[in-house]
Amino acid sequence: MHVSWILSLLLLIHPQSGIPLSITENNDTIAIVKRQEVMLPVPGLELVDPVKYEQLLKQIEQQVEKKAKNATLNDSGHIIPEKVGYKLNRHAFTEAFFQYYFHNRLTTLEVPKMMVYPKVDSELLSIIRTKRLGQYITYFNSRNKARSKNIELAVAAINNQVVFPGEVFSFNKVVGKRTVKKGYMKAPEIVKGELIEGIGGGICQVSSTLFNAVDRSGVTMIERYSHSKHVPYVPPGRDATVSWYGPDFSFKNEYNQPILIRAKVVGGMVIVFVYSSEDINYKPRKIT
């Protein structure tokens, strides 16, 4: 906690009443704050209430936050450049806000922001797309529209994912919860040996295709489970079942370079490639 914040809570400071503070971003007003709205409810002590002030900070953060975007590859293999993000500079904002609250020295506060840089920029992406470490293809019935839609959504989620050295890739974390709101549909899935209709049915084909591709790349498997019955799109024992409230598929990149996952749907095929840089020190795994 900053020293000025502690002193403000301890000292009996009586700020002068005045006009509200206008908080702006790019000269547009995004909030108007009055002293009494963030004042500690103690008679005779006109101090800032830490709880109310934290709520104000979170409100401002939500309004000004702009997430950074990694560089990606489009379907043609061209690099789409990264985009820098922004977040609230809490320290600078607090210093300025206290000037208003305790000293009545300003009536407008332009939100101070910090730049947030993406993890993957165009330069890195151009380096780790050069060496193919592994690949795998599975097939499905594209006439099953619901299952095809689920597969397309899951493939889009894992496509362009970069796993840095020492990082663990979690299928459930990357793909997220499968919901109707996200576009997932009811399709057949295997649960406890039974074939039933479930939201997101079909995405285990995506996780299984990914497993076979990265397994050939020699990465370290962390978590993988097979279905309770055979699935037709991979050989026996070569599947990776996943469920939001159940099993996950995860692996760790223990190589000296990041690895890039490229995934796409072409007709009735799920295709997954694994790439890295020419400088990667890896051992491919032969699968019989």
Side-chain angles (χ1 to χ4, degrees), residues 72-80 129 159-160 262 264:
T72 58
L73 295 170
N74 63 17
D75 292 339
S76 301
H78 297 132
I79 294 178
I80 301 174
R129 62 180 292 187
N159 185 39
N160 280 309
R262 291 283 284 155
K264 60 182 178 179

Side-chain angles (χ1 to χ4, degrees), residues 144-156 175 178-179 183-188 198-203 206:
N144 185 329
K145 300 303 180 184
R147 192 172 187 276
S148 297
K149 179 64 175 179
N150 296 338
I151 288 175
E152 290 170 0
L153 289 171
V155 164
V175 176
R178 282 67 88 177
T179 65
Y184 287 96
M185 306 173 69
K186 281 190 175 182
I199 299 297
I203 68 167
V206 180

Side-chain angles (χ1 to χ4, degrees), residues 73 77 79 122-134 257-262 273-280 282:
L73 295 170
I79 294 178
S122 299
E123 181 179 2
L124 174 63
L125 193 58
S126 66
I127 294 173
I128 63 173
R129 62 180 292 187
T130 55
K131 187 178 184 66
R132 183 183 297 179
L133 309 184
Q257 296 291 323
I259 60 175
L260 167 68
I261 297 169
R262 291 283 284 155
F273 300 98
V274 182
Y275 292 93
S276 189
S277 78
E278 294 290 346
D279 296 326
I280 189 169
Y282 90 109

Side-chain angles (χ1 to χ4, degrees), residues 2-143:
H2 195 267
V3 175
S4 62
W5 171 259
I6 299 175
L7 292 176
S8 299
L9 290 176
L10 296 177
L11 297 176
L12 301 181
I13 302 175
H14 299 275
Q16 301 294 320
S17 60
I19 64 175
L21 176 67
S22 177
I23 300 174
T24 62
E25 181 185 20
N26 300 323
N27 297 318
D28 292 328
T29 300
I30 61 173
I32 296 178
V33 183
K34 298 178 181 179
R35 281 192 177 88
Q36 55 267 35
E37 293 175 343
V38 292
M39 187 177 294
L40 194 69
V42 178
L45 295 180
E46 297 182 0
L47 303 178
V48 174
D49 186 321
V51 175
K52 293 178 180 178
Y53 184 69
E54 179 64 24
Q55 291 174 345
L56 173 64
L57 285 176
K58 290 182 177 179
Q59 174 192 338
I60 300 301
E61 281 178 331
Q62 291 175 355
Q63 291 180 271
V64 304
E65 182 183 29
K66 181 180 179 182
K67 292 186 178 180
K69 293 184 178 180
N70 288 334
T72 58
L73 295 170
N74 63 17
D75 292 339
S76 301
H78 297 132
I79 294 178
I80 301 174
E82 70 279 4
K83 291 185 178 180
V84 175
Y86 298 93
K87 68 177 182 179
L88 174 68
N89 185 329
R90 281 191 165 215
H91 173 75
F93 182 89
T94 297
E95 289 287 328
F97 183 83
F98 283 179
Q99 289 295 318
Y100 156 75
Y101 190 90
F102 292 110
H103 305 293
N104 202 28
R105 291 180 181 172
L106 76 162
T107 57
T108 301
L109 170 56
E110 176 71 13
V111 175
K113 294 181 289 188
M114 301 172 62
M115 299 179 74
V116 179
Y117 294 94
K119 293 179 65 176
V120 182
D121 59 21
S122 299
E123 181 179 2
L124 174 63
L125 193 58
S126 66
I127 294 173
I128 63 173
R129 62 180 292 187
T130 55
K131 187 178 184 66
R132 183 183 297 179
L133 309 184
Q135 69 180 72
Y136 202 76
I137 302 174
T138 60
Y139 301 87
F140 65 95
N141 181 6
S142 59
R143 289 175 294 181

